[in-house]
Amino acid sequence: MKLPPILVYSVLRLLAFLVPLGIMWLFPIMREYWWLTAIFAALIGMSLSILFLRRPLSGASAEIYERRAARGSAAKSAAAEDAEAEDAALDAAADSTPTHEN
């Protein structure tokens, strides 16, 4: 079973934040300044993800793009059918309306 790329990327991003946070939490000074520890862990996690998670990010982005493109093409085809139905209704109404000539 293959996991969705967005799930893989999300889990790896969480690990890139939580592992440095856990390691830094082992130091007593970092427990005292928990907010500074969280900031450092976020910066380290962001750096790790930029350096090492390019392939999972590309896979997740491609999957999101494909889903949006499929949804967009379905919406466009439904809109085209609606437009055709409206045009047919307007043509039928125009044909049935008598014209008055002077």
Side-chain angles (χ1 to χ4, degrees):
M1 178 174 88
K2 186 176 178 184
L3 295 173
I6 190 127
L7 179 66
V8 172
Y9 180 70
S10 298
V11 168
L12 290 174
R13 282 291 305 258
L14 279 172
L15 285 174
F17 171 73
L18 293 175
V19 169
L21 182 68
I23 290 171
M24 286 189 291
W25 219 303
L26 295 174
F27 300 107
I29 190 72
M30 291 302 208
R31 276 189 240 145
E32 186 176 334
Y33 297 108
W34 59 269
W35 54 272
L36 192 60
T37 304
I39 291 172
F40 285 158
L43 291 173
I44 292 169
M46 184 178 64
S47 300
L48 290 174
S49 67
I50 288 171
L51 291 173
F52 298 113
L53 298 181
R54 288 184 194 268
R55 185 171 292 159
L57 176 61
S58 296
S61 299
E63 181 182 358
I64 291 170
Y65 177 78
E66 290 168 3
R67 284 185 183 180
R68 292 194 75 177
R71 189 178 344 155
S73 66
K76 285 181 184 177
S77 66
E81 290 175 9
D82 288 344
E84 288 176 8
E86 288 174 4
D87 290 343
L90 288 173
D91 289 343
D95 291 341
S96 66
T97 305
T99 59
H100 298 285
E101 293 183 15
N102 293 353

